[in-house]
Amino acid sequence: MGFGGEGGKACPELPAGPPRNEPTVVGILLAGGELKGPLAEMTPTRFKACLQIAGVSLLERTLRPLCEAQSLSSIVVVGPRETEQVVAVSAPHARWTESGDSLVGNLLQGLAEAPEAEYVLAVSADLPLLDPKDVDAFVGQARTLGAEFVYSMVERRVCEAAFPGTKRTCVTIREGTFTGGNVMLLSRAMAQRNAALIREAFELRKKPFRLCGMLGWTFVLRLLCHRLAADQAALRVGELLNCRATG
């Protein structure tokens, strides 16, 4: 596995801290996702983050733009034991903690490793084309919204134009058809007070009827009929989490 980022160079250190009067935002890189399907049978590794492109792992390619972003005060990588040395060599200023079996558990573990964080930017470790300017733009826009939970969405036509032939899970709402951007900003306070609910919702993703009961059948019917608006979805999520949410 290629250590030290592209060209063998370690990622740059992050700024000393956020501008005065700005909340502290810590990046949490979630690197515990396992490979599934045919790709899992073709590669020696179990984890997406360890896949390589031209000798450099997806983890390193995603970690570098986070290191270069000006909006993050520090980075925590939550990943399998195989990623510990990669982080130590390519981003020695970042913190590493071992991942578990649950995405939500890994997010909360990352939060526990960053007690100074008022907000965290959760990023999946399979975004090799992530740009630090996009990271800063998302964090900046999220701050102006004053929300405790902000989820990134990308229009399907934009995604397909940039990456023809890609396959993404999409949802159609009133404004169009969107796919998740695999980046979200959330406040520590919101995550901590809703930890049990978030775990429950994640577990219910494979039990659609119970998940529909949690979301409400009016919400579900609007979604199925493509009549659900983005602000309605954000409002319902905010009601469940007792916070202001947006996407």
Side-chain angles (χ1 to χ4, degrees):
M1 181 174 296
F3 290 159
E6 295 185 55
K9 297 180 180 179
C11 297
E13 290 194 29
L14 290 158
R20 185 172 296 179
N21 298 324
E22 291 286 357
T24 301
V25 182
V26 172
I28 296 181
L29 189 55
L30 300 170
E34 294 192 13
L35 290 167
K36 298 178 182 179
L39 190 58
E41 301 173 0
M42 297 168 56
T43 58
T45 181
R46 290 171 48 204
F47 302 98
K48 292 181 187 179
C50 297
L51 286 175
Q52 295 188 18
I53 300 175
V56 182
S57 69
L58 291 181
L59 171 60
E60 293 169 271
R61 291 181 179 275
T62 309
L63 184 55
R64 175 167 288 276
L66 295 181
C67 292
E68 295 175 351
Q70 298 297 303
S71 53
L72 303 179
S73 64
S74 60
I75 296 171
V76 175
V77 178
V78 186
R81 183 65 62 178
E82 292 90 326
T83 64
E84 182 178 14
Q85 183 64 14
V86 181
V87 175
V89 174
S90 62
H93 52 283
R95 284 164 279 182
W96 176 89
T97 184
E98 190 168 8
S99 59
D101 297 329
S102 165
L103 176 63
V104 176
N106 291 339
L107 174 60
L108 295 174
Q109 175 64 22
L111 194 64
E113 291 291 325
E116 78 280 13
E118 297 171 73
Y119 284 79
V120 294
L121 183 76
V123 181
S124 64
D126 56 354
L127 301 177
L129 299 180
L130 188 65
D131 189 295
K133 293 180 181 178
D134 293 333
V135 173
D136 289 334
F138 179 76
V139 172
Q141 291 175 18
R143 282 173 174 168
T144 64
L145 295 170
E148 288 190 276
F149 178 65
V150 184
Y151 185 71
S152 61
M153 300 188 301
V154 181
E155 280 196 80
R156 182 170 65 181
R157 61 179 181 84
V158 174
C159 184
E160 291 178 345
F163 309 105
T166 188
K167 295 182 179 180
R168 297 281 300 177
T169 299
C170 297
V171 62
T172 299
I173 57 177
R174 187 182 297 172
E175 291 86 352
T177 300
F178 295 85
T179 184
N182 293 4
V183 176
M184 62 181 175
L185 185 83
L186 60 157
S187 76
R188 165 182 291 278
M190 187 281 293
Q192 289 181 330
R193 70 175 180 261
N194 290 290
L197 179 62
I198 295 171
R199 287 182 188 274
E200 181 184 3
F202 184 75
E203 292 301 323
L204 289 181
R205 74 192 190 283
K206 296 182 180 180
K207 300 176 181 178
F209 283 102
R210 289 183 60 187
L211 183 60
C212 288
M214 174 183 286
L215 293 171
W217 287 102
T218 299
F219 178 99
V220 173
L221 289 173
R222 284 176 175 168
L223 179 61
L224 292 175
C225 296
H226 302 166
R227 299 290 296 171
L228 184 70
D231 58 349
Q232 292 173 329
L235 179 62
R236 182 58 183 141
V237 171
E239 289 173 347
L240 288 170
L241 299 177
N242 190 27
C243 73
R244 183 181 179 190
T246 189

